[in-house]
Amino acid sequence: MAQSVGIKDVARAAGVSVGTVSNVINRPDTVASETRARVLSAIDRLGYVRSESARQLRAGRSRIMGLLVLDMGNPFFVDVARGAERAARDAALGVMVCNSAQSATEEAEYLSLFAEQRVRGVLLTPTDASGRNIEAFRRNGIPFVLVDRVADGTTECSVSVDDVAGGALAVRHLVDAGHRSIAYVSGPPGLNQVRDRRTGALNALAEAGLGPECLRELPTERLDVAAGRDAGARLLGLAERPTAVFCANDLLALGVLQAMYAAGVGVPDDLAIVGYDDIEFAAAAAVPLTSVRQPAVTMGALAAELLLEEIETESAPTPHEHRRVVLQPELVVRRSSLSAR
């Protein structure tokens, strides 16, 4: 294996001191142009690459921002990462994206990794409902911002969407279309988003003078297409099948749509479907999917900006003031819910 080229090798090749090479790299204006040219020529000839990890160890400060999300297989979180990366890049920071896979254990492991790597800050969509992972990470003194979540008992900055309002938008749309028996494919019950969207759904039913019995909940262990297909199969097996279904995210909704297609159940004529997130695949589905849109890119960018604000005020005499930003969802109506009843 080829040996890496170090700063001493560059100094030897250029006939200068290690300090001069360091100055050329970090403070080039302090080095005479002829000497600087000789050092740069040696760097180019030897293929020297500065060790960023060594520089960070000396400075005690990383140029990396951590991002830990529930599921990078969900395009919603890909869009969140895009927004965060854009804001971080403007601040000359990189983003380390990690996937907890909705596992509290994996979440704890990645938070420990962030602490070991001395990242500048973390954007976190927590999966541990107990809050223990957040409490343990807080002791490292690394600033963090919650994304797509406001966790109970936390005072840190957060950027989220009003999921109660979003759930109400979805079910109000279905009620207005004449549906009186609605299924809610909800995902893991420990997630705040799942509970809030259910609350919004029940609120919309109450507004219409309908009771909670009009909403049949079908929980799933995960928020992916396979879980949606399983929920669709359970839905098909009900003695009294609802006429509409509201899903906690678009991946679940796409899975339900697949199950209905395989069983010959017409969408929207036999079953109306509404998803949540409005990922790119929603509009491209075989039956374009009605969905509650979350501004995912904006959410990621705002969260990163809040984190950068906190990082910049770490040594300021006035402490950073934590803020909770709540964005509003929007209903995007497509063919999957447009049957006439």
Side-chain angles (χ1 to χ4, degrees), residues 96-120:
M96 180 193 297
V97 181
C98 298
N99 176 26
S100 72
Q102 301 175 44
S103 164
T105 299
E106 292 191 33
E107 176 181 84
E109 291 171 353
Y110 278 123
L111 289 175
S112 294
L113 175 65
F114 288 154
E116 291 170 7
Q117 294 296 317
R118 302 182 184 181
V119 298
R120 292 296 298 275

Short mmCIF file of all heavy atoms in Angstrom, two decimals, residues 96-120:
data_model
loop_
_atom_site.label_atom_id
_atom_site.label_comp_id
_atom_site.label_asym_id
_atom_site.label_seq_id
_atom_site.Cartn_x
_atom_site.Cartn_y
_atom_site.Cartn_z
N MET A 96 -22.78 15.18 7.67
CA MET A 96 -22.70 13.73 7.83
C MET A 96 -24.12 13.21 8.06
O MET A 96 -24.72 13.47 9.10
CB MET A 96 -21.81 13.35 9.01
CG MET A 96 -21.68 11.84 9.23
SD MET A 96 -20.93 11.42 10.84
CE MET A 96 -19.31 12.15 10.65
N VAL A 97 -24.67 12.51 7.07
CA VAL A 97 -26.06 12.04 7.14
C VAL A 97 -26.07 10.60 7.64
O VAL A 97 -25.39 9.73 7.09
CB VAL A 97 -26.75 12.12 5.77
CG1 VAL A 97 -28.19 11.66 5.88
CG2 VAL A 97 -26.68 13.55 5.23
N CYS A 98 -26.86 10.33 8.68
CA CYS A 98 -26.99 9.00 9.25
C CYS A 98 -28.46 8.63 9.37
O CYS A 98 -29.32 9.51 9.48
CB CYS A 98 -26.32 8.91 10.62
SG CYS A 98 -24.53 9.22 10.58
N ASN A 99 -28.72 7.34 9.36
CA ASN A 99 -30.08 6.82 9.32
C ASN A 99 -30.33 5.94 10.55
O ASN A 99 -29.71 4.88 10.69
CB ASN A 99 -30.25 6.01 8.02
CG ASN A 99 -31.60 5.35 7.92
OD1 ASN A 99 -32.57 5.81 8.50
ND2 ASN A 99 -31.67 4.25 7.18
N SER A 100 -31.23 6.36 11.42
CA SER A 100 -31.52 5.56 12.62
C SER A 100 -32.37 4.35 12.33
O SER A 100 -32.50 3.46 13.17
CB SER A 100 -32.21 6.43 13.68
OG SER A 100 -33.55 6.73 13.30
N ALA A 101 -33.00 4.31 11.14
CA ALA A 101 -33.89 3.20 10.76
C ALA A 101 -34.99 3.00 11.79
O ALA A 101 -35.42 1.87 12.03
CB ALA A 101 -33.09 1.91 10.55
N GLN A 102 -35.44 4.10 12.40
CA GLN A 102 -36.51 4.08 13.40
C GLN A 102 -36.15 3.19 14.59
O GLN A 102 -37.02 2.65 15.27
CB GLN A 102 -37.83 3.63 12.77
CG GLN A 102 -38.29 4.52 11.62
CD GLN A 102 -39.52 4.00 10.93
OE1 GLN A 102 -40.48 3.58 11.56
NE2 GLN A 102 -39.51 4.01 9.60
N SER A 103 -34.85 3.06 14.87
CA SER A 103 -34.37 2.23 15.98
C SER A 103 -33.73 3.12 17.04
O SER A 103 -32.79 3.87 16.75
CB SER A 103 -33.34 1.22 15.47
OG SER A 103 -32.59 0.67 16.55
N ALA A 104 -34.23 3.04 18.28
CA ALA A 104 -33.66 3.83 19.37
C ALA A 104 -32.21 3.42 19.64
O ALA A 104 -31.37 4.26 20.00
CB ALA A 104 -34.50 3.67 20.63
N THR A 105 -31.89 2.15 19.44
CA THR A 105 -30.53 1.67 19.66
C THR A 105 -29.57 2.27 18.64
O THR A 105 -28.49 2.76 18.99
CB THR A 105 -30.48 0.14 19.58
OG1 THR A 105 -31.33 -0.41 20.59
CG2 THR A 105 -29.07 -0.37 19.79
N GLU A 106 -29.96 2.23 17.36
CA GLU A 106 -29.10 2.81 16.33
C GLU A 106 -28.99 4.32 16.49
O GLU A 106 -27.94 4.91 16.23
CB GLU A 106 -29.63 2.45 14.95
CG GLU A 106 -29.52 0.96 14.63
CD GLU A 106 -29.79 0.64 13.18
OE1 GLU A 106 -29.47 1.47 12.31
OE2 GLU A 106 -30.33 -0.46 12.92
N GLU A 107 -30.06 4.95 16.93
CA GLU A 107 -30.02 6.39 17.20
C GLU A 107 -28.95 6.69 18.25
O GLU A 107 -28.14 7.62 18.08
CB GLU A 107 -31.39 6.86 17.67
CG GLU A 107 -31.44 8.33 18.07
CD GLU A 107 -32.82 8.71 18.57
OE1 GLU A 107 -33.11 8.49 19.77
OE2 GLU A 107 -33.61 9.21 17.76
N ALA A 108 -28.94 5.94 19.33
CA ALA A 108 -27.96 6.16 20.40
C ALA A 108 -26.54 5.96 19.89
O ALA A 108 -25.62 6.73 20.24
CB ALA A 108 -28.24 5.22 21.56
N GLU A 109 -26.34 4.95 19.04
CA GLU A 109 -25.00 4.69 18.51
C GLU A 109 -24.52 5.83 17.62
O GLU A 109 -23.35 6.24 17.69
CB GLU A 109 -25.01 3.38 17.72
CG GLU A 109 -25.21 2.15 18.61
CD GLU A 109 -25.43 0.88 17.82
OE1 GLU A 109 -25.56 0.97 16.57
OE2 GLU A 109 -25.48 -0.20 18.43
N TYR A 110 -25.40 6.36 16.79
CA TYR A 110 -24.99 7.47 15.91
C TYR A 110 -24.74 8.75 16.70
O TYR A 110 -23.83 9.52 16.39
CB TYR A 110 -26.03 7.70 14.83
CG TYR A 110 -25.90 6.75 13.66
CD1 TYR A 110 -26.96 5.93 13.27
CD2 TYR A 110 -24.70 6.68 12.94
CE1 TYR A 110 -26.82 5.06 12.20
CE2 TYR A 110 -24.56 5.80 11.87
CZ TYR A 110 -25.63 5.00 11.50
OH TYR A 110 -25.49 4.14 10.44
N LEU A 111 -25.54 8.99 17.73
CA LEU A 111 -25.30 10.17 18.56
C LEU A 111 -23.95 10.07 19.26
O LEU A 111 -23.23 11.07 19.41
CB LEU A 111 -26.44 10.35 19.57
CG LEU A 111 -27.78 10.80 18.98
CD1 LEU A 111 -28.86 10.81 20.05
CD2 LEU A 111 -27.67 12.16 18.33
N SER A 112 -23.58 8.86 19.68
CA SER A 112 -22.25 8.65 20.28
C SER A 112 -21.15 8.92 19.25
O SER A 112 -20.11 9.51 19.56
CB SER A 112 -22.13 7.23 20.83
OG SER A 112 -23.00 7.02 21.91
N LEU A 113 -21.39 8.47 18.01
CA LEU A 113 -20.42 8.72 16.94
C LEU A 113 -20.25 10.22 16.70
O LEU A 113 -19.13 10.71 16.55
CB LEU A 113 -20.88 8.03 15.66
CG LEU A 113 -20.04 8.30 14.40
CD1 LEU A 113 -18.63 7.72 14.58
CD2 LEU A 113 -20.71 7.70 13.17
N PHE A 114 -21.35 10.96 16.68
CA PHE A 114 -21.27 12.41 16.49
C PHE A 114 -20.43 13.04 17.60
O PHE A 114 -19.62 13.95 17.34
CB PHE A 114 -22.67 13.03 16.50
CG PHE A 114 -23.48 12.73 15.26
CD1 PHE A 114 -24.87 12.74 15.32
CD2 PHE A 114 -22.87 12.46 14.05
CE1 PHE A 114 -25.63 12.47 14.19
CE2 PHE A 114 -23.62 12.19 12.92
CZ PHE A 114 -25.01 12.19 12.99
N ALA A 115 -20.63 12.58 18.83
CA ALA A 115 -19.87 13.13 19.95
C ALA A 115 -18.39 12.80 19.81
O ALA A 115 -17.52 13.65 20.05
CB ALA A 115 -20.42 12.59 21.27
N GLU A 116 -18.08 11.56 19.40
CA GLU A 116 -16.68 11.16 19.21
C GLU A 116 -16.00 11.98 18.11
O GLU A 116 -14.82 12.32 18.21
CB GLU A 116 -16.62 9.67 18.85
CG GLU A 116 -17.01 8.74 19.98
CD GLU A 116 -17.17 7.31 19.50
OE1 GLU A 116 -16.85 7.05 18.31
OE2 GLU A 116 -17.61 6.45 20.29
N GLN A 117 -16.77 12.31 17.07
CA GLN A 117 -16.22 13.06 15.94
C GLN A 117 -16.20 14.56 16.19
O GLN A 117 -15.73 15.32 15.35
CB GLN A 117 -17.03 12.77 14.67
CG GLN A 117 -16.93 11.33 14.19
CD GLN A 117 -15.54 10.96 13.76
OE1 GLN A 117 -14.85 11.73 13.08
NE2 GLN A 117 -15.08 9.78 14.16
N ARG A 118 -16.70 14.99 17.33
CA ARG A 118 -16.72 16.40 17.71
C ARG A 118 -17.38 17.26 16.64
O ARG A 118 -16.85 18.31 16.23
CB ARG A 118 -15.31 16.91 17.98
CG ARG A 118 -14.57 16.16 19.06
CD ARG A 118 -13.20 16.74 19.30
NE ARG A 118 -12.44 15.96 20.27
CZ ARG A 118 -11.21 16.26 20.68
NH1 ARG A 118 -10.61 17.33 20.18
NH2 ARG A 118 -10.60 15.52 21.55
N VAL A 119 -18.52 16.81 16.14
CA VAL A 119 -19.22 17.59 15.11
C VAL A 119 -19.62 18.94 15.69
O VAL A 119 -19.77 19.11 16.90
CB VAL A 119 -20.47 16.83 14.60
CG1 VAL A 119 -20.08 15.53 13.93
CG2 VAL A 119 -21.47 16.58 15.72
N ARG A 120 -19.78 19.92 14.80
CA ARG A 120 -20.12 21.27 15.26
C ARG A 120 -21.53 21.34 15.83
O ARG A 120 -21.83 22.17 16.69
CB ARG A 120 -20.00 22.26 14.09
CG ARG A 120 -18.59 22.46 13.61
CD ARG A 120 -17.70 23.10 14.65
NE ARG A 120 -18.13 24.42 15.04
CZ ARG A 120 -17.81 25.54 14.39
NH1 ARG A 120 -17.08 25.47 13.30
NH2 ARG A 120 -18.21 26.70 14.82
#
